[in-house]
Amino acid sequence: HLHINGEGDASWESKVFVVEKLGSGTFLYLEKEGEPLVVQTEGDSNIKVGDTVKVGFISSRCHIFGIDNQAFI
């Protein structure tokens, strides 16, 4: 799970270029290393286009796979 503006083992900042409010959830369209990234957050989020958000994750809750589809341990 990615966390917006919260704590995490690793994080980066990204500018929001689209906000899609869908009631129970809001999708934020960001950019990570030149590639688009869509992150879901709370439906009542106050984040708007042009805002810079901090995106992070807790590594113990992640399952990471290599190009050969083998899980990293």
Side-chain angles (χ1 to χ4, degrees):
H1 297 276
L2 296 175
H3 297 275
I4 301 296
N5 294 328
E7 295 301 317
D9 299 328
S11 64
W12 68 93
E13 289 188 348
S14 185
K15 189 176 235 181
V16 178
F17 62 90
V18 174
V19 175
E20 187 176 13
K21 291 191 170 278
L22 300 174
S24 64
T26 297
F27 289 94
L28 306 175
Y29 292 74
L30 316 170
E31 187 176 297
K32 172 72 169 125
E33 298 177 2
E35 296 293 325
L37 175 70
V38 181
V39 180
Q40 183 176 359
T41 190
E42 299 83 21
D44 61 352
S45 172
N46 292 326
I47 297 170
K48 56 192 177 301
V49 172
D51 285 353
T52 298
V53 295
K54 180 179 170 186
V55 181
F57 63 91
I58 299 170
S59 60
S60 64
R61 298 187 68 191
C62 293
H63 302 282
I64 302 173
F65 295 85
I67 196 164
D68 59 358
N69 290 327
Q70 295 297 311
F72 288 110
I73 299 176

